[in-house]
Amino acid sequence: MAVVEADHVSRRYGSNLAVDDVTVMFQSGQCTAIVGHNGAGKSTLIKMLLGLVRPTSGRISVLGEDPTAGDRRWRSQIGFLPESVSFPPNLSGRETLDFYARLKGYSEAANPCLLDQVSLTEAADRRVSTYSKGMRQRLGLAQALLGSPRVLLLDEPTSGLDPASRQSFYGIIRSLVADGVAVLLSSHALEEIEGQADRIAVMSHGRLRAFGSLNELRGLSELPVQIQLCVAEDAQVAAFVRSFGMPAAIDGRQICLACPATSKMDVLRRVAACEGVVDFDVLPPTLDSLYAWFMEVRP
Amino acid sequence: MSAVLAIAMGELRSSLRNRWVLSATLVMTALALSLALLGSAPTGTVGAMPLDITVVSLTSLTIFLVPLIALLLSHDAIVGEAERGTLLLLLSYPIARWQVVAGKFAGHLSVVAFAVTLGYGSAGVVIGWVSGGADREGAAAFGAMIGSSILLGASFLSLGYLASVCVRQRAAAVGVAVAVWLLLVLAYDAALLGALVADKSRSIPTELVQALLILNPADAYRLFNLAGFGRVSAFSGMAAVSQQSHVPAGLLLSILIAWTAAPLAATAAIFSRREI
């Protein structure tokens, strides 16, 4: 079910079109990642979804409500983590979470569990001003999870987190998605998103360049699949490579074939039948290379 | 309403932690006690009541100090949150913008009210104890002075919020707050006096001067306390003003309330249209 919809949404600041005719839907029970360079329009889009910025044109619906309309009760079902989150410096982590729970109209009873979930129990009574960036980010995630939201909007959520905290963060996200929460996160860290997001929106200069699952984006692009082969010592490498009739990089016994996605199965059958091949791996285009492709080919 | 209360409690807690409450209360108490004990010393020979004299002294102090404390508390209430990056998160919660303004106002007003009541109240208690008790009229004038001081603080808190919502940088908010303080506390009276001195032909109608005088919140406060109570006006040198002006105390308080309500409403209206 689509819980967040943007229909031909644009936002103009003077002569700058920050978001340009974006149409996109986010489903419950899915993690959607928005990727794009700085100034691509990711944060503006998130602010429009929150009703903090009005679209110049187009229509937005979040949980069936217009975010810019007067009634703000729907926001109690939204969790938001801004990029580089800040908190009142004089309050402790526990007091901060209690403060936001009261603002959302929820009981503070569940807050100790949330602090535990983001591994901040020990530091809960320290002032937030003494927290590291990663700890503030984890506290930010805890406040976003207040009241079990149906939609989570996370702007660069893992910036400042160490690898262990990132693992734990994505563990929390996976369990929320399994519970039916719609998670929308923006990030520059393409490698870590690759294995986590169900759908990916590629934005550039305010426009949505591509939207779909990783496999759908691979299908949209014309990037080749990399087939890495390890051949026997006595194999006639040059003749072997020529027989495939496609671009290849050779490094000793290692051969990397750049195979068009459409002929992948054909090539794999031939590779499997070839006696000189002792091992092979199939590497589909990474999100990094797909992102670069969408930036260059569909600017 | 719970959101307003939550924001007010948050502001109060922050003010307690960053020593705002402590420093404001200490300054108020120290100055009030000094003025009360030193200022009332010569009253014995002229038969004046010490509490009335203290009202005169503290009123003059309040006009300078309370607006300054209120503006210092409020000038970065909105622009400061925006610069620190806490405003974006706050506004993503299910609260209306006016609730943010109302919550901050309630929290900051509590700080001002606490500092004024404790600071001036302690001076009143000491004076009453030293002079062997106070009469009903003196106590009423003193109580009214405390209440109107809080109202004066409320006016300048509201003006501080208006400055805070109209600018994009904290430094600009500081500049506007200082300008507001200079204009309303110092320059306004000087300009009015200068105009009267320059007007040798007496072409400026008395009613206009009177209207201009009470339109300033600091002057409305001064008139309320120094000319509003018979005995106090005699000691403050405002007896003639008191007899001629005929400005009802209710009108003067209404002016202070208007100076609180109008900037607050303007702040809420501007803030509601502001994109983050």
Side-chain angles (χ1 to χ4, degrees), chain A residues 37-188:
Chain A
H37 54 79
N38 291 330
K42 308 185 297 287
S43 294
T44 305
L45 181 62
I46 290 177
K47 284 180 185 176
M48 284 197 286
L49 298 180
L50 285 164
L52 301 176
V53 169
R54 287 175 183 278
T56 311
S57 63
R59 191 187 64 83
I60 291 177
S61 162
V62 180
L63 297 170
E65 302 274 351
D66 175 357
T68 54
D71 189 357
R72 291 172 178 82
R73 273 174 296 183
W74 60 273
R75 282 192 183 153
S76 58
Q77 298 179 64
I78 302 281
F80 171 53
L81 173 60
E83 185 182 0
S84 306
V85 65
S86 296
F87 297 106
N90 294 315
L91 303 184
S92 70
R94 193 186 307 281
E95 289 167 341
T96 300
L97 209 53
D98 290 351
F99 169 69
Y100 286 108
R102 282 194 289 272
L103 279 189
K104 233 174 185 177
Y106 289 115
S107 158
E108 298 143 16
N111 291 359
C113 292
L114 284 175
L115 286 165
D116 189 45
Q117 206 171 353
V118 297
S119 310
L120 279 178
T121 302
E122 281 183 23
D125 294 314
R126 272 169 49 194
R127 286 195 190 190
V128 174
S129 56
T130 65
Y131 280 17
S132 67
K133 189 184 177 198
M135 291 167 83
R136 284 201 304 275
Q137 206 72 5
R138 281 187 276 150
L139 183 61
L141 179 63
Q143 69 74 32
L145 298 178
L146 281 165
S148 306
R150 287 173 62 196
V151 176
L152 261 185
L153 303 173
L154 311 171
D155 199 357
E156 304 285 350
T158 55
S159 74
L161 293 186
D162 56 57
S165 299
R166 281 176 196 223
Q167 289 284 338
S168 156
F169 166 80
Y170 282 113
I172 293 169
I173 296 299
R174 275 195 298 274
S175 90
L176 289 168
V177 168
D179 289 342
V181 177
V183 178
L184 173 66
L185 59 90
S186 77
S187 182
H188 293 293

Side-chain angles (χ1 to χ4, degrees), chain B residues 120-165:
Chain B
Y120 291 1
S122 60
V125 169
V126 168
I127 286 293
W129 179 64
V130 167
S131 60
D135 65 336
R136 181 171 289 187
E137 192 184 335
F142 199 83
M145 194 250 326
I146 289 179
S148 58
S149 298
I150 295 169
L151 201 49
L152 181 70
S155 306
F156 279 86
L157 281 175
S158 300
L159 288 166
Y161 298 136
L162 188 56
S164 194
V165 81

